[in-house]
Amino acid sequence: MAGIAVFGGSCAALAPEVCAALDRLGLDYDVLGDLELLKGDLERYRVLVFPGGYTFECLKLLRVGGSERIRRFVEGGGGYVGICAGAYVAPHIGLTRGRMIRMRGTYVETVFVVDERHPVVRGFRGEVRMHYQNGPHMVPSGGDHPIALFRDDTAAIMECRGMRGRVILFSTHPEMLPETMPMLRNAVEYCTAGIP
């Protein structure tokens, strides 16, 4: 079984940035296009990274069958790391009952780590400066567990619990700044470790 799949389809505009970060972190991965995602090739992998991009275009693609494929993958124990658009689409896939509040802007944002013991933020404490680019302010629900918050107390990073696989959602972009790239590695490793 291969390790990491990065969705690099037509709507995943920021897949190259995620791939560049994974290269820099020394992690091997495959890039899946639209057809590969829709055909269900996910079973060959341990974790899917769904990057930022065009949310509404991603939702159109997922309605064709991608949502069910991803949900089955996670229900079967696969990991999911959703970044920005990958977080926006998570409720539509059935990975969270949380609410995504659409926001706009591109800047470096301060987030506040509220669960310093969580493996995703290993090496990070207190305030962390992260790249932000139109990501959702996430309102957790049910089994959702906030890991870091924005100033308005909505989640910037959260884990969605209740499925066999592990799900980590980032509103922010850990792949964009060298100092936060280790958080991407932490998330991928954490989600991969959840597979028996």
Side-chain angles (χ1 to χ4, degrees):
M1 179 184 284
I4 305 167
V6 176
F7 175 55
S10 56
C11 63
L14 296 179
E17 286 75 6
V18 168
C19 292
L22 293 173
D23 287 337
R24 185 167 176 167
L25 292 165
L27 298 174
D28 294 327
Y29 59 91
D30 291 338
V31 178
L32 303 183
D34 295 347
L35 291 178
E36 292 162 304
L37 182 70
L38 295 175
K39 283 192 314 184
D41 286 350
L42 291 177
E43 288 70 23
R44 297 172 34 219
Y45 299 95
R46 298 174 69 85
V47 61
L48 171 66
V49 181
F50 198 118
Y54 304 110
T55 302
F56 295 112
E57 295 303 315
C58 288
L59 288 173
K60 286 181 192 174
L61 175 71
L62 292 172
R63 284 190 201 108
V64 179
S67 292
E68 184 179 340
R69 302 270 189 208
I70 295 171
R71 185 170 53 254
R72 280 206 317 256
F73 172 67
V74 177
E75 285 172 345
Y80 179 92
V81 177
I83 302 170
C84 195
Y88 272 121
V89 302
H92 301 274
I93 299 171
L95 302 182
T96 177
R97 294 181 188 169
R99 189 164 51 95
M100 303 294 158
I101 301 172
R102 180 158 283 283
M103 304 294 281
R104 298 196 180 277
T106 301
Y107 43 82
V108 175
E109 173 70 286
T110 299
V111 303
F112 304 87
V113 175
V114 292
D115 183 358
E116 293 182 349
R117 297 169 65 179
H118 198 287
V120 169
V121 289
R122 183 179 64 245
F124 297 88
R125 303 175 66 104
E127 299 181 10
V128 180
R129 304 274 287 164
M130 299 188 74
H131 180 84
Y132 173 84
Q133 189 171 340
N134 303 321
H137 282 219
M138 300 182 285
V139 180
S141 178
D144 297 338
H145 175 74
I147 300 169
L149 300 177
F150 289 113
R151 294 180 192 277
D152 63 2
D153 288 334
T154 57
I157 307 167
M158 74 178 185
E159 179 176 6
C160 306
R161 298 173 175 167
M163 303 183 84
R164 187 167 171 233
R166 291 176 173 172
V167 175
I168 297 295
L169 303 181
F170 287 93
S171 168
T172 49
H173 289 264
E175 77 278 12
M176 292 295 202
L177 301 176
E179 55 268 34
T180 57
M181 283 181 191
M183 206 180 285
L184 175 61
R185 179 182 58 224
N186 292 348
V188 167
E189 290 177 349
Y190 176 71
C191 288
T192 300
I195 298 177

